[in-house]
Amino acid sequence: LVSISARLRYAERTLHRNRPAQQGVDKSLYKDKLFMVEYRGRQLVIRYCEQLLAGSDPRRVPPSWNEAIHHVPAGKRNRLVAQMAARREYLANHGLLRVPDHWNTEGALPDGKQFYALKAGPLRAYGWYSSRYKGVFFVSHFAFKRGQKIAREDASRVIRNWRTQEEDRP
Amino acid sequence: MTDFLDTWAKENDEHARLIAEERLITEVTEALWDTMQQAGISKSELASRLGKSKGHISQLFSGSRNMTLRTLAEICSALDCVPSFSVSARCAGKRLKRLRSH
């Protein structure tokens, strides 16, 4: 009996050791796939261009966000993440922002419409209202803004992403 | 469905608290700005009505300066409007649905 119970305890320990490892991988991948998709508000769906790239690791946040937030001093980081989250929530619920410190018209798209910046301190989420998908606001990418005007590479990147989402997709 | 910012908000109470603060600041400043636009009042005009600098007003609207309830009341008075305020449970709708289903 002693031997059987020892074997059972061993088997149980082995099972216990193996279980979290197997479940851990599957669960986190599944969970992270969900949170990368989009944010739905009462008026708009905020969709991220970066997450739509096939083959990217579903556990990662948009790479441009990681890059932009890296430039923010550690002490200010959480406040700015919260600002960005609150403002994109407002955008999704109300369809637009008005305060120039929260929102800015940044430039023209190839179809003559405008693209915008959602602002949180020096952080920007550049995007546009989709003509192709009703009620969708695409976030092209995030950036840490240094100068007064939008960087040329940021404007080009928005237009590239706009073409992919609004023109190229079948 | 949700995004990475929502996941960040749910990570801990500190993140949730920060978002609650920023949510209120965004809602209040957007409402004030909307009122100012409708009344055709600029930041400079509001600043002069309050006896403050334009920079002070900019900081209030950007969220970099804390807006006290007193300041909010002063701004509303300067804009000749009255703020309305209510507090409700965040999941009131869901709770009601749950109750109805029972």
Side-chain angles (χ1 to χ4, degrees):
Chain A
L1 273 173
V2 170
S3 155
I4 290 170
S5 69
R7 277 184 182 182
L8 276 171
R9 273 203 305 276
Y10 175 74
E12 205 177 2
R13 271 203 306 274
T14 313
L15 271 174
H16 188 72
R17 258 204 310 273
N18 291 338
R19 203 181 301 144
Q22 286 167 353
Q23 284 183 346
V25 172
D26 293 339
K27 261 189 176 177
S28 69
L29 284 173
Y30 180 63
K31 192 180 97 186
D32 292 345
K33 253 180 193 162
L34 276 179
F35 80 68
M36 279 293 288
V37 179
E38 57 193 14
Y39 179 80
R40 282 176 184 273
R42 289 193 298 270
Q43 298 265 336
L44 290 174
V45 174
I46 312 281
R47 199 171 284 166
Y48 301 94
C49 291
E50 285 172 286
Q51 64 140 40
L52 299 174
L53 294 172
S56 61
D57 184 349
R59 282 171 296 187
R60 289 169 64 190
V61 298
S64 67
W65 173 257
N66 269 343
E67 202 180 309
I69 202 76
H70 177 75
H71 295 286
V72 176
K76 290 184 178 175
R77 214 165 276 174
N78 281 355
R79 173 66 61 191
L80 290 180
V81 179
Q83 255 181 28
M84 184 59 84
R87 288 170 193 180
R88 74 90 172 73
E89 180 184 297
Y90 191 94
L91 173 65
N93 285 334
H94 295 84
L96 80 167
L97 290 109
R98 292 186 176 85
V99 179
D101 294 292
H102 302 169
W103 180 254
N104 197 37
T105 305
E106 291 287 349
L109 293 164
D111 67 351
K113 290 183 179 169
Q114 304 288 320
F115 68 91
Y116 305 89
L118 186 61
K119 300 154 91 171
L123 297 176
R124 299 287 182 273
Y126 294 110
W128 69 89
Y129 294 96
S130 175
S131 303
R132 188 163 193 178
Y133 306 96
K134 203 180 165 206
V136 172
F137 182 87
F138 274 104
V139 169
S140 161
H141 66 285
F142 295 93
F144 179 88
K145 197 179 176 223
R146 287 188 177 85
Q148 277 289 318
K149 286 193 171 182
I150 181 174
R152 191 175 291 177
E153 56 268 32
D154 283 322
S156 316
R157 190 166 174 185
V158 173
I159 288 166
R160 238 180 8 251
N161 282 331
W162 179 86
R163 287 195 190 284
T164 308
Q165 301 299 337
E166 305 287 331
E167 288 183 340
D168 297 349
R169 279 175 192 273
Chain B
M1 269 182 220
T2 182
D3 64 358
F4 68 101
L5 291 168
D6 233 10
T7 307
W8 182 86
K10 287 170 190 161
E11 264 175 20
N12 59 49
D13 291 346
E14 166 71 4
H15 291 177
R17 184 183 61 77
L18 281 170
I19 293 201
E21 285 177 21
E22 294 302 330
R23 182 183 293 126
L24 183 61
I25 292 167
T26 304
E27 286 185 3
V28 169
T29 49
E30 285 288 333
L32 287 174
W33 190 263
D34 195 26
T35 309
M36 281 167 66
Q37 277 198 320
Q38 282 178 27
I41 296 169
S42 65
K43 266 189 210 176
S44 317
E45 170 65 17
L46 179 63
S48 89
R49 286 186 189 190
L50 292 171
K52 307 273 185 196
S53 68
K54 192 184 164 191
H56 181 96
I57 303 298
S58 289
Q59 286 175 336
L60 289 174
F61 277 100
S62 72
S64 59
R65 181 186 282 267
N66 262 338
M67 189 187 296
T68 63
L69 289 177
R70 239 174 260 285
T71 314
L72 175 60
E74 280 174 22
I75 294 174
C76 288
S77 172
L79 295 174
D80 198 21
C81 63
V82 181
S84 62
F85 176 69
S86 66
V87 177
S88 52
R90 193 186 299 191
C91 301
K94 280 183 192 168
R95 262 183 224 161
L96 197 65
K97 230 179 191 177
R98 218 182 302 142
L99 282 172
R100 278 183 186 155
S101 70
H102 282 298

